[in-house]
Amino acid sequence: MHQIDNPFLESLGVTLTEWRPDYAEMQLEIAPNLQNRIGRIQGGVMCTLLDAVLGYAGLYVAPGEPALKNVTLSITTNFLNSAEGKALTAKGFIERKGRGIYFARGEVWLDSSTLLATGVGTFKYIR
């Protein structure tokens, strides 16, 4: 488990379970306050997870190195499925990285078996 260092994500219960160069993975246990009126995970929760995991995929540094920071420039989300389950896993992958901007893609899985959403994002490093 890695230090997520993000008060908003921590308040939701998001954990950073895997983090390495060009990849991040986060998990979130589904609680009633994260569900919509039909008992499924709220779409905004999946958008939040995608924003976070895509962003973190480009922020990994070796232990002891100064932390990188970023802002989101854009995200496109595609909702593919809806289902009931216990936990979400979000995976973020770097597609291309420059000196100041990077592009990432990601997925949100329900109980490691149902792909709920995909997304692509553009991020800018803050120097």
Side-chain angles (χ1 to χ4, degrees), residues 4 6 8-10 12-17 24-30 34 41-57 72 75 77 79 87-93 104-110 116-119 123:
I4 201 160
N6 182 310
F8 175 67
L9 296 176
E10 290 168 357
L12 292 176
V14 175
T15 56
L16 180 59
T17 54
E25 186 171 299
M26 296 179 173
Q27 291 189 338
L28 176 61
E29 298 294 320
I30 296 173
L34 302 177
I41 192 73
Q42 176 67 34
V45 173
M46 289 184 276
C47 290
T48 296
L49 274 176
L50 283 168
D51 183 28
V53 80
L54 296 176
Y56 274 68
T72 305
I75 289 185
T77 302
F79 298 104
L88 299 176
T89 300
K91 300 176 182 188
F93 309 86
R105 67 178 172 83
E107 308 164 341
V108 177
W109 290 84
L110 178 66
L116 295 181
T118 61
F123 300 83

Side-chain angles (χ1 to χ4, degrees), residues 21-23 54 57-58 91-98 101-107 119-123 125:
D22 301 336
Y23 180 79
L54 296 176
K91 300 176 182 188
F93 309 86
I94 293 299
E95 288 294 319
R96 185 162 186 217
K97 194 184 311 187
I101 305 264
Y102 63 97
F103 305 89
R105 67 178 172 83
E107 308 164 341
V120 293
T122 306
F123 300 83
Y125 288 111

